[in-house]
């Protein structure tokens, strides 16, 4: 049997499923292994573009965590689509898309996205399913998100997107959340009204305006009608696709350092963007995942608050922001920029089990004469290469840098890895050496043609 990490994408037919011989799964040489794609830093690594590349080889694309706080921008035939909930696989004819149980879904945002896609001529019905177990983000979650953030004040702000994601996950864990499947039940209006009473108590205490339960009942009754055809038991759907030999791509949103367990808590998101989250967020078993692809920027960025050891607060940081277009796809917020942090990269490799790396945005460094890499942190007089759990300790970490010469040449037009300037190759190879795993893709520009593929 072939190695799960070797496959080709030369078939003009794409990747057809081959009926597997049970119980041992046999895949054709041209079939992509079931793959989880994760972001290795604080999000915004350029996952959208790599997902687009991998989607071409997948039969099914599944989201497993987060909500409409994620934002992928995909340009197809000159048309720009910004998708927050629906996997961008929807833009590839013939692919099926799933929003898994680990995602929190704002039904109104989902309807808006479905309508936008249909207006653009994209068929969604019959190609998209949403888990009946996915928790709902309801208007009171948005209101609580904004009110909570305001109440935290400047020093304790988390920097949330205000889309109600945190409060929706909080309700899920507190066992008072409402799920997609509940939308279709007769007692939904009653349960909604009871939750609105609780939410209004909290909103009033925070000095925010309470919500009208009757208005919300009407809004969500209409939403339920629109969404009913999309709601399904996606655990069965994903497993059926796997049994039929389909190639499944599980796409993570945000990034490893924003993971509620592994990230820089409490400046994190409320879900698990790491590769393990794919199991929890879809019901796929760990041994049905055959490959992990990590997307990582050739430098580091972060949106919102929280420690960031390699941050550049000077003109160089501003230069990276401008050259890299580092402004949030969902909120437009400027991203904080800094040098590549190999401590973060190594940690991400370890907790996700990254087999192949997709390095992005090499071109943004084209004009720098000297490039720094953080290889360790100095913490209280000692050098460490591990990630401290304590926020206070992480805040005290000072980056230990090594320097490499820049290449001072444009790389965006280069189409083969071998043609890159020697210094650029040396830089990438040093990063891979420091963090572990293998290089699969190097991206040198925003367009599809600027993707140098090695093992991916
Ligand atoms: P995501 O959330 O991880 O998908 O990342 P974003 O969509 O927020 O950021 C990706 C942005 O960077 C998009 O505008 C991409 O077009 C752009 N991008 C991706 N790869 C590259 C690259 O290699 N070079 C440059 N210059 N831009 C890139």
């Amino acid at each position: 049997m072939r190695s799960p990490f070797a496959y080709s994408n030369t078939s003009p037919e794409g990747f057809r499923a081959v009926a597997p011989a049970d119980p041992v799964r046999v895949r054709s040489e041209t079939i992509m292994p079931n793959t989880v794609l994760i972001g290795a830093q604080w999000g915004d690594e350029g996952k959208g573009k790599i997902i687009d590349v991998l989607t071409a080889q997948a039969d099914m694309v599944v989201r497993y965590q987060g909500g409409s706080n994620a934002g992928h921008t995909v340009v197809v035939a000159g048309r720009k689509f910004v998708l927050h909930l629906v996997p961008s696989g929807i833009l590839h004819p013939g692919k099926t898309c799933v929003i898994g149980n680990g995602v929190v879904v704002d039904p109104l945002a989902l309807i808006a996205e479905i309508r936008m896609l249909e207006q653009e001529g994209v068929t969604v019905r019959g190609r998209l399913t949403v888990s009946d177990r996915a928790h709902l983000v309801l208007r009171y979650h948005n209101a609580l998100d904004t009110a909570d953030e305001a109440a935290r004040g400047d020093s304790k702000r988390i920097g949330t997107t205000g889309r109600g994601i945190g409060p929706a996950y909080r309700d899920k864990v507190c066992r008072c959340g409402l799920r997609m499947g509940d939308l279709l039940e007769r007692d939904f209006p009653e349960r909604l009204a009871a939750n609105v009473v609780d939410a209004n108590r909290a909103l009033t205490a925070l000095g925010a305006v309470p919500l009208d339960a009757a208005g919300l009942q009407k809004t969500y009754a209409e939403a339920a009608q629109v969404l009913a055809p999309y709601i399904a038991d996606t655990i069965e759907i994903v497993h059926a696709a796997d049994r039929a030999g389909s190639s499944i791509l599980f796409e993570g949103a945000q990034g490893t350092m924003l993971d509620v367990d592994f990230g820089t808590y409490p400046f994190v998101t409320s879900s698990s963007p790491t590769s393990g989250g794919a199991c929890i967020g879809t019901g796929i078993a760990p041994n049905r995942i055959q490959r992990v692809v990590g997307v990582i920027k050739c430098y580091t960025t972060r949106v919102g608050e929280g420690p960031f050891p390699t941050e550049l607060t000077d003109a160089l940081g501003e230069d990276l922001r401008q050259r890299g277009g580092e402004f949030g796809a969902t909120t437009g917020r400027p991203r904080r920029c800094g040098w590549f942090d190999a401590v973060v990269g190594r940690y991400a490799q370890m907790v996700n089990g990254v087999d192949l790396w997709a390095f992005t945005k090499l071109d943004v460094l084209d004009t720098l004469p000297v490039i720094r890499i953080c290889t360790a942190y100095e913490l209280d007089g000692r050098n460490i290469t591990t990630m401290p759990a304590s926020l206070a300790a992480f805040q005290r970490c000072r980056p230990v840098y090594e320097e490499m010469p820049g290449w001072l040449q444009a790389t965006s037009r280069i189409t083969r890895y071998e043609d890159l300037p020697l210094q650029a190759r040396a830089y990438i190879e040093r990063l891979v050496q420091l963090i572990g795993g293998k290089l699969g893709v190097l991206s040198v520009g925003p367009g599809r043609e600027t993707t140098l593929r090695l093992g991916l």
Side-chain angles (χ1 to χ4, degrees), residues 99-159:
I99 298 177
N101 56 275
V103 179
V104 288
V105 181
D106 177 338
L108 307 179
L110 180 59
I111 291 171
E113 222 164 286
I114 292 172
R115 292 211 166 120
M116 177 278 287
L117 286 163
E118 282 173 342
Q119 267 163 21
E120 294 289 334
V122 178
T123 307
V124 184
R125 190 83 175 259
R127 295 180 55 216
L128 173 72
T129 44
V130 187
S131 170
D132 47 7
R133 289 173 169 84
H135 277 250
L136 294 167
V137 182
L138 299 163
R139 280 271 163 79
Y140 53 82
H141 293 124
N142 299 71
L144 286 166
D145 201 357
T146 309
D148 281 343
E149 193 74 334
R152 280 185 198 111
D154 279 351
S155 61
K156 292 200 176 141
R157 231 184 311 124
I158 295 176

Side-chain angles (χ1 to χ4, degrees), residues 23-344:
V24 179
R25 177 107 170 272
V26 181
R27 283 170 171 271
S28 106
E29 282 301 316
T30 54
I31 287 180
M32 184 186 86
N34 288 340
T35 299
V36 181
L37 177 141
I38 58 95
Q41 295 155 314
W42 277 280
D44 311 314
E45 295 90 353
K47 295 180 292 297
K49 180 180 164 177
I50 310 301
I51 287 168
D52 195 48
V53 168
L54 287 175
T55 297
Q57 305 159 24
D59 300 302
M60 176 180 269
V61 186
V62 187
R63 265 202 66 186
Y64 61 85
Q65 48 73 228
S68 53
N69 52 347
H72 289 315
T73 307
V74 185
V75 180
V76 178
R79 280 184 304 166
K80 185 171 159 181
F81 294 86
V82 182
L83 296 171
H84 298 289
L85 278 166
V86 180
S88 49
I90 205 78
L91 303 173
H92 292 245
K95 313 286 173 181
T96 51
C97 294
V98 172
I99 298 177
N101 56 275
V103 179
V104 288
V105 181
D106 177 338
L108 307 179
L110 180 59
I111 291 171
E113 222 164 286
I114 292 172
R115 292 211 166 120
M116 177 278 287
L117 286 163
E118 282 173 342
Q119 267 163 21
E120 294 289 334
V122 178
T123 307
V124 184
R125 190 83 175 259
R127 295 180 55 216
L128 173 72
T129 44
V130 187
S131 170
D132 47 7
R133 289 173 169 84
H135 277 250
L136 294 167
V137 182
L138 299 163
R139 280 271 163 79
Y140 53 82
H141 293 124
N142 299 71
L144 286 166
D145 201 357
T146 309
D148 281 343
E149 193 74 334
R152 280 185 198 111
D154 279 351
S155 61
K156 292 200 176 141
R157 231 184 311 124
I158 295 176
T160 78
T161 54
R163 305 214 169 193
I165 310 300
Y169 277 114
R170 184 165 66 199
D171 281 1
K172 173 178 176 173
V173 177
C174 287
R175 295 165 294 181
C176 61
L178 293 167
R179 307 198 288 182
M180 214 68 206
D182 297 330
L183 258 188
L184 309 179
E185 297 294 340
R186 292 178 85 145
D187 64 353
F188 183 79
E190 226 172 276
R191 295 176 66 190
L192 175 69
N195 279 8
V196 172
V197 170
D198 290 343
N200 279 348
R201 210 173 293 127
L203 286 170
T204 311
L206 291 163
V209 184
L211 300 169
D212 166 37
L216 292 183
Q217 283 170 328
K218 185 165 175 296
T219 302
Y220 292 117
E222 287 163 10
Q225 287 206 338
V226 179
L227 292 178
Y230 298 93
I231 301 173
D233 180 350
T234 55
I235 301 170
E236 291 293 341
I237 290 172
V238 170
H239 278 272
D242 183 45
R243 278 196 302 274
S246 298
S247 296
I248 309 176
L249 173 64
F250 298 90
E251 61 164 81
Q254 290 96 34
T256 301
M257 298 308 291
L258 294 171
D259 186 285
V260 69
D261 284 276
F262 304 113
T264 43
Y265 190 90
F267 298 104
V268 291
T269 196
S270 305
S271 61
S272 307
T274 42
S275 57
C279 296
I280 303 295
T282 66
I284 193 77
N287 58 358
R288 303 310 304 150
I289 292 172
Q290 290 133 353
R291 183 174 68 165
V292 179
V293 171
V295 186
I296 191 160
K297 238 181 266 200
C298 292
Y299 51 97
T300 312
T301 63
R302 165 158 213 183
V303 179
E305 317 300 317
F308 176 1
T310 62
E311 181 170 14
L312 289 163
T313 50
D314 54 5
L316 197 50
E318 184 56 34
D319 190 44
L320 285 179
R321 181 154 42 247
Q322 294 302 333
R323 284 184 53 81
E326 299 295 354
F327 299 90
T330 303
T331 59
R333 278 188 288 183
R335 297 176 185 147
R336 299 154 69 195
C337 298
W339 296 117
F340 186 86
D341 186 335
V343 181
V344 166

Side-chain angles (χ1 to χ4, degrees), residues 372-406:
R372 291 179 140 192
I373 305 169
C374 167
T375 55
Y377 299 143
E378 195 249 272
L379 174 63
D380 304 334
R382 246 173 13 101
N383 278 8
I384 58 165
T385 53
T386 52
M387 189 59 60
S390 144
L391 193 70
F394 195 43
Q395 241 144 6
R396 292 200 303 280
C397 283
R398 297 286 162 260
V400 177
Y401 286 122
E402 71 178 36
E403 288 188 351
M404 293 192 76

